[in-house]
Amino acid sequence: MAIKKNELYSSLWASCDQLRGGMDASQYKDYILTILFIKYVTDKFKGEEYADIVVPNNGSFDDIVRLKGDKNIGEGIDKVIASLAEANSLRGVIDNAHFNDETKLGKGKEMVDKLSKLVAIFQRPEFDFKNNKAGGDDILGDAYEYLMRNFATESGKSKGQFYTPAEVSRILAKVIGIDKIKPREEDYTVYDPACGSGSLLIKAADEAPFDISIYGQEKESTTAGLAKMNFVLHNKATAEIRDANTFSSPQYFEEGSNDEIIKRFDFSVANPPFSLSNWTDGLKDFGRFDGYGGRPPEKNADFAWLMHILKSLKSRGKAAVILPHGVLFRGNSEAIIRRAIIDKGYIKGIIGLPANLFYGTSIPACIIIIDKEDADDRKGVFIIDASRSFAKDGNKNRLREQDIYKIINTFNEKIIDNPRYARFVAMDEIKIKNDYNLNIPRYIDSNTMDELQDINSHLSGGLPAVDIDSMNNYWKLFPNLKNRLFNIMDNGYYKLKIEKEDVRYTIFNDVEFSVYADKIDKAFDKWKEKVDLSLRSIDESVKVKQYITEISQILIGEFEEIELIDRYDVYEILLSYWQEIMADDVFILTIDGYNAGKEIVYDVDIKENKKGEKIEIIKGWDGKLIPKSVIEKVFFIKERTKIDEIKIIVDEIQRQIDELIEAQTIENNALVDFLNDKDKIDMKLISSKMKNFKKNADNSEEYDIICLYIELNEKSKKYAKIVKELYSALNFSIINKYKELTDEEVKELLVNHKWYYTIFNDIKYLYSNTSHNLANRIVDLVNRYEDDLPSLEKKVRHSEKTVKSHLERMGYKW
């Protein structure tokens, strides 16, 4: 049985609640991730011969479960972990979190309760990794990444450097060409000298078409342990991770060199700590800084990392390194080194990233892409400025799917159709014109142009031709619309033909504009034709992460020629929906098949009754794959319409009741005495008073108001009861309908009424926005220039005349 990743994520995050308060996220992450690791390897490898991880007696999660409630639970968990570590040579890797630490976990019963509750969370069904096959498509590895992202967010600026955002990792993995390697006798290798928790290496290795050898080094032993566990959870247990300082104690050397020649790799990816100041402590050169005219400054290791990576690459090696922008333009010894690297032709590309992406710093960074293979013949450097392409995400910035795709596609395809985003810069421009300065703004002006004011329009009236013609992408498609909106004046300026208030109506109802929408429909229909069969044939052979790449490439291809919609926006719609909903659906189909579309999932809460017995309370329910709203819309629209009609009556009755109560004043207070502490009418008080309350001349109005309220209240209760009964009947019918669904009906509901419906509606919204954007632009221009000098002078003359007339009537001479 498959589990949705979002359910797994929420359960994992709930486990953190057991430890919050006693320590910060930079500490309790080690406890959570260690328990997750032990649970996973127990479920996957216990009892298996020749497994990647040996699970010994007294070294499994089952042994930890037996410690729940034990007064020595902390000590016992440490022993279980030690057994597992000993059996797999993982001492100092998975045993860094000490579960018997009273300073972090509390003393006595506090520790027992806290750890027992933590262990109980990992006993939930969603953590049964053997049965739900959570590791089948890296869903567990993704969960591990999810936790580390959240831990990095909570850890703050100083302690979140162990994690590189997955979005950035994906870019590095895609631009080094690791996906294009061909099989050979010798293993390909990928290396990260500052690997943190290993996310960059994992993304790079995932891009390779077959297994490659992974090497990483990390200074912090605890973080190196996180990396090793991360690789196991991503089915890459053979990755070699060593903890030591890369500058004082590099760990990888060529065989037979007596640890004197730095090992060379095919690929390298890295996000080293920015501007490290104490990097020379205990430094051993190993020739890493030879041939560049000098050594990096002692108080800044940025170039030291880059030079170490260059030394660690084979003669045809490729790398992508994240560094602060300073490496592109700083002077002195760094300028000398940069000149040497450029002259050697090693730099293939530079990608400027938005600020505030990383957890260790808020400064903007860049990706430097190194390629030794074609260095001698390199004619220039491909530069991208993606610094303005991001979304706000809390107090950080985040690259959206469309931003990632645009960067990767632009770099790999060398797209230069937008000089404000990307350029291929010739070496002469870099070396001669800019003296080896690589600062991105020297080559790409990505600033938005300031809005220019036209003096003639302000003086004489009319709309500037330059502004109207700047919307030529619309006029080429809708020439008649332009003629309907504007006249050309004698001076070459434009004048609006219609009233300003009619601009939006004219655009929204233009025939050409409406017909253009058919192109959107046709493009989407073509995509459907190409992917429909595969969407209705998903089985265990589908690789979920590869699948979205395939269908998204087809989608973006179909919208390539739709001029008014940015194809990257279309891509974002599909990928956002994929991450939120569709990926879970596809993963479930690969495990459980389309039969999962007939399943219902209940939201159950466990409570104790008065006898202390635990009982299940159903808080709600929905379809596992197909929402009940879809079943309702397709099969029970009449029943739903009936409910909505009666709800309108209920709402109208409630409106009358509210008006009746609001009309009560000090003079007219028939209902005021019956209001309770919550300003609600107490019907018990009304009932008791009405027994002996008879209408007479003195209380006629008060009596009528109370009677009207009672009548309305009874009506409201009557119709509310009808609605409740209809809802109950509808829910019963929907539940039964799930049981009756055929596989073909499941496919139709899922593919057509859930997936296509949602994706297409969002794409159509993009197009509707284009009409709003055009209308807004025209109205803004009209507002800007409508008060020209002649019209202002006319208004002044009119005002003077009016004031003069008023003064004369008052007896004053003008």
Side-chain angles (χ1 to χ4, degrees):
M1 175 178 151
I3 179 175
K4 293 185 177 181
K5 67 176 184 295
N6 290 324
E7 294 173 6
L8 180 60
Y9 291 176
S10 61
S11 292
L12 282 171
W13 201 235
S15 68
C16 302
D17 292 333
Q18 301 304 322
L19 298 180
R20 286 190 180 97
M23 63 194 92
D24 65 33
S26 65
Q27 295 173 316
Y28 70 68
K29 75 177 190 303
D30 302 329
Y31 293 87
I32 302 299
L33 296 174
T34 299
I35 292 290
L36 173 63
F37 175 80
I38 293 170
K39 180 66 170 75
Y40 172 76
V41 298
T42 297
D43 285 354
K44 184 164 185 179
F45 300 124
K46 187 177 179 181
E48 295 286 333
E49 289 189 64
Y50 311 113
D52 289 337
I53 298 291
V54 176
V55 182
N57 294 330
N58 302 319
S60 72
F61 182 76
D62 301 329
D63 300 302
I64 291 177
V65 170
R66 285 192 281 271
L67 292 167
K68 283 198 310 180
D70 190 296
K71 65 179 182 179
N72 296 317
I73 184 173
E75 181 183 356
I77 293 176
D78 281 344
K79 289 180 178 178
V80 171
I81 296 170
S83 296
L84 183 64
E86 190 68 40
N88 295 279
S89 299
L90 293 174
R91 279 294 207 179
V93 176
I94 65 170
D95 53 358
N96 293 306
H98 303 297
F99 287 81
N100 202 34
D101 189 336
E102 293 181 344
T103 62
K104 295 176 181 176
L105 297 167
K107 297 181 179 180
K109 189 174 185 302
E110 181 185 356
M111 177 187 286
V112 173
D113 289 347
K114 189 173 288 187
L115 291 178
S116 296
K117 289 177 181 177
L118 177 62
V119 173
I121 288 173
F122 284 87
Q123 288 182 275
R124 292 176 180 173
E126 56 264 36
F127 290 101
D128 186 355
F129 301 126
K130 181 171 290 186
N131 291 334
N132 67 37
K133 300 182 182 178
D137 197 69
D138 279 351
I139 189 172
L140 186 59
D142 290 346
Y144 191 82
E145 293 279 322
Y146 161 84
L147 282 175
M148 284 194 288
R149 170 185 280 258
N150 281 275
F151 290 142
T153 301
E154 286 200 354
S155 295
K157 183 176 179 180
S158 63
K159 299 176 182 177
Q161 297 184 40
F162 59 84
Y163 178 70
T164 300
E167 299 86 3
V168 182
S169 299
R170 286 163 54 194
I171 294 173
L172 270 69
K174 291 279 190 179
V175 298
I176 57 175
I178 201 168
D179 59 318
K180 298 179 176 66
I181 59 176
K182 305 295 183 184
R184 67 183 188 189
E185 287 187 18
E186 180 188 358
D187 280 352
Y188 284 89
T189 54
V190 61
Y191 167 63
D192 185 345
C195 70
S197 56
S199 58
L200 266 175
L201 281 171
I202 287 169
K203 292 294 187 296
D206 280 343
E207 284 300 310
F210 43 82
D211 289 342
I212 65 175
S213 297
I214 301 168
Y215 298 85
Q217 183 164 341
E218 167 56 40
K219 180 179 178 181
E220 299 293 334
S221 60
T222 301
T223 304
L226 293 181
K228 186 63 180 176
M229 290 188 283
N230 198 4
F231 284 111
V232 172
L233 296 177
H234 278 90
N235 297 311
K236 293 175 172 60
T238 58
E240 192 169 334
I241 307 298
R242 297 180 184 175
D243 59 300
N245 186 311
T246 299
F247 295 121
S248 63
S249 182
Q251 292 294 296
Y252 300 106
F253 296 90
E254 293 292 349
E255 290 185 20
S257 71
N258 296 320
D259 292 351
E260 292 182 359
I261 300 175
I262 296 289
K263 184 177 176 63
R264 303 199 173 213
F265 304 91
D266 295 294
F267 297 96
S268 181
V269 288
N271 178 22
F274 291 174
S275 305
L276 193 65
S277 61
N278 59 347
W279 71 278
T280 58
D281 293 349
L283 175 67
K284 296 177 183 176
D285 274 16
F286 293 105
R288 287 178 282 185
F289 312 113
D290 297 341
Y292 296 94
R295 181 188 288 184
E298 290 188 10
K299 294 185 178 180
N300 193 320
D302 292 337
F303 267 105
W305 288 109
L306 186 57
M307 294 164 82
H308 170 80
I309 288 169
L310 287 169
K311 187 68 174 180
S312 302
L313 286 178
K314 294 180 179 180
S315 60
R316 298 161 63 91
K318 298 168 177 60
V321 190
I322 300 169
L323 290 170
H325 278 267
V327 299
L328 302 176
F329 56 80
R330 288 195 296 251
N332 300 320
S333 62
E334 292 184 308
I336 295 171
I337 296 169
R338 182 173 58 251
R339 176 186 292 263
I341 293 174
I342 292 172
D343 281 337
K344 291 175 185 291
Y346 287 157
I347 300 177
K348 180 180 181 179
I350 299 169
I351 300 169
L353 298 172
N356 205 23
L357 281 183
F358 302 97
Y359 295 99
T361 179
S362 61
I363 66 172
C366 63
I367 301 171
I368 297 180
I369 298 99
I370 300 294
D371 188 353
K372 284 188 172 183
E373 183 175 1
D374 299 315
D376 292 340
D377 299 322
R378 186 143 289 125
K379 305 300 182 185
V381 178
F382 196 82
I383 300 178
I384 295 175
D385 185 355
S387 60
R388 297 179 180 273
S389 303
F390 62 89
K392 293 294 294 181
D393 188 5
N395 62 351
K396 304 297 293 181
N397 294 331
R398 175 179 56 81
L399 293 173
R400 299 163 296 181
E401 289 296 329
Q402 67 185 85
D403 303 324
I404 299 166
Y405 181 83
K406 186 175 182 180
I407 290 171
I408 294 168
N409 193 47
T410 300
F411 184 81
N412 287 338
E413 300 300 324
K414 298 297 179 284
I415 299 171
I416 53 173
D417 57 356
N418 180 2
R420 289 183 171 274
Y421 184 76
R423 280 189 63 208
F424 180 78
V425 182
M427 282 298 186
D428 283 349
E429 185 175 350
I430 293 171
K431 295 178 180 181
I432 300 172
K433 185 177 179 181
N434 288 286
D435 193 25
Y436 291 85
N437 189 315
L438 290 172
N439 197 18
I440 294 174
R442 285 178 175 251
Y443 306 100
I444 298 178
D445 180 10
S446 63
N447 293 317
T448 54
M449 295 181 65
D450 293 332
E451 195 72 63
L452 299 177
Q453 299 283 338
D454 189 289
I455 299 301
N456 289 330
S457 287
H458 285 301
L459 292 176
S460 306
L463 303 175
V466 65
D467 287 317
I468 302 302
D469 293 341
S470 70
M471 294 177 272
N472 265 342
N473 57 327
Y474 291 99
W475 312 138
K476 284 189 294 185
L477 298 170
F478 318 122
N480 293 326
L481 176 60
K482 184 179 181 181
N483 294 332
R484 290 178 63 194
L485 289 170
F486 305 106
N487 280 324
I488 299 180
M489 301 167 63
D490 292 339
N491 60 0
Y493 283 64
Y494 286 88
K495 183 177 182 180
L496 195 64
K497 269 185 182 180
I498 58 178
E499 295 296 322
K500 178 175 66 175
E501 292 74 18
D502 294 332
V503 168
R504 298 184 190 280
Y505 176 85
T506 302
I507 293 173
F508 298 162
N509 290 276
D510 182 73
V511 174
E512 289 176 328
F513 213 95
S514 300
V515 169
Y516 191 82
D518 292 342
K519 292 183 71 173
I520 313 294
D521 296 350
K522 289 176 181 176
F524 192 76
D525 286 342
K526 286 182 180 177
W527 177 69
K528 284 167 55 177
E529 288 174 12
K530 293 179 178 178
V531 302
D532 193 76
L533 180 60
S534 69
L535 288 174
R536 295 171 190 265
S537 310
I538 294 169
D539 57 25
E540 67 278 359
S541 67
V542 171
K543 301 297 183 185
V544 179
K545 292 185 177 181
Q546 295 176 15
Y547 187 69
I548 181 56
T549 301
E550 294 166 5
I551 65 174
S552 62
Q553 291 287 352
I554 296 171
L555 180 66
I556 205 169
E558 293 301 334
F559 280 84
E560 192 87 35
E561 304 302 322
I562 307 296
E563 297 92 336
L564 294 186
I565 292 184
D566 189 329
R567 64 187 186 276
Y568 297 114
D569 288 334
V570 175
Y571 180 86
E572 179 70 23
I573 285 172
L574 176 58
L575 266 292
S576 294
Y577 183 63
W578 174 268
Q579 291 185 346
E580 184 180 350
I581 302 290
M582 199 172 168
D584 273 344
D585 292 348
V586 172
F587 179 71
I588 288 171
L589 291 176
T590 63
I591 304 300
D592 300 334
Y594 291 91
N595 199 53
K598 306 172 190 180
E599 294 182 33
I600 293 172
V601 177
Y602 292 93
D603 183 8
V604 178
D605 199 7
I606 307 296
K607 293 188 177 182
E608 288 189 0
N609 59 20
K610 294 180 180 179
K611 296 180 180 179
E613 300 169 334
K614 291 185 178 181
I615 56 174
E616 292 186 351
I617 307 295
I618 296 177
K619 296 162 58 179
W621 65 274
D622 209 339
K624 184 174 183 177
L625 269 181
I626 301 170
K628 59 184 175 183
S629 58
V630 171
I631 301 288
E632 182 183 283
K633 183 177 68 174
V634 174
F635 297 106
F636 301 101
I637 192 65
K638 290 182 179 178
E639 290 82 349
R640 180 71 215 196
T641 301
K642 182 65 176 177
I643 291 173
D644 291 340
E645 289 171 350
I646 298 176
K647 283 182 69 178
I648 292 172
I649 297 173
V650 172
D651 291 342
E652 174 58 25
I653 294 171
Q654 187 60 49
R655 184 190 65 78
Q656 294 177 35
I657 290 173
D658 293 341
E659 287 182 355
L660 192 63
I661 295 173
E662 289 172 7
Q664 301 303 294
T665 63
I666 294 174
E667 294 79 18
N668 179 19
N669 61 359
L671 297 175
V672 171
D673 292 339
F674 303 110
L675 290 172
N676 59 23
D677 294 340
K678 297 180 181 179
D679 287 335
K680 301 292 184 182
I681 298 296
D682 190 330
M683 287 302 299
K684 291 182 180 179
L685 289 176
I686 290 181
S687 298
S688 62
K689 182 172 182 177
M690 291 301 285
K691 288 179 182 178
N692 303 312
F693 192 62
K694 295 188 177 179
K695 185 176 181 179
N696 56 51
D698 294 330
N699 65 15
S700 175
E701 184 177 357
E702 181 182 0
Y703 184 88
D704 289 342
I705 289 173
I706 295 174
C707 287
L708 177 58
Y709 179 83
I710 293 172
E711 179 187 351
L712 291 172
N713 188 63
E714 289 299 317
K715 277 186 179 179
S716 178
K717 287 163 61 177
K718 171 188 171 184
Y719 283 109
K721 182 181 179 183
I722 294 173
V723 169
K724 184 177 180 180
E725 290 172 348
L726 289 174
Y727 263 130
S728 179
L730 177 57
N731 273 335
F732 184 76
S733 298
I734 292 174
I735 289 172
N736 284 334
K737 187 62 186 178
Y738 275 106
K739 300 173 184 176
E740 301 169 358
L741 291 174
T742 65
D743 281 355
E744 287 307 310
E745 285 178 320
V746 168
K747 293 175 183 180
E748 178 65 16
L749 292 167
L750 181 64
V751 176
N752 206 25
H753 294 278
K754 182 182 179 183
W755 294 344
Y756 289 160
Y757 177 82
T758 306
I759 297 166
F760 183 65
N761 275 353
D762 287 345
I763 292 174
K764 289 287 280 188
Y765 179 75
L766 283 179
Y767 181 63
S768 69
N769 264 357
T770 63
S771 58
H772 288 288
N773 293 338
L774 176 60
N776 290 340
R777 175 63 176 156
I778 293 171
V779 171
D780 286 345
L781 286 171
V782 173
N783 287 335
R784 181 186 303 165
Y785 295 113
E786 65 181 343
D787 289 329
D788 54 47
L789 185 60
S791 65
L792 289 173
E793 290 174 338
K794 183 177 180 181
K795 288 180 181 179
V796 170
R797 289 194 296 271
H798 177 75
S799 296
E800 286 177 346
K801 186 176 180 180
T802 302
V803 171
K804 182 178 180 181
S805 175
H806 286 319
L807 291 173
E808 287 176 348
R809 285 200 301 271
M810 295 168 64
Y812 292 95
K813 295 292 185 181
W814 182 253

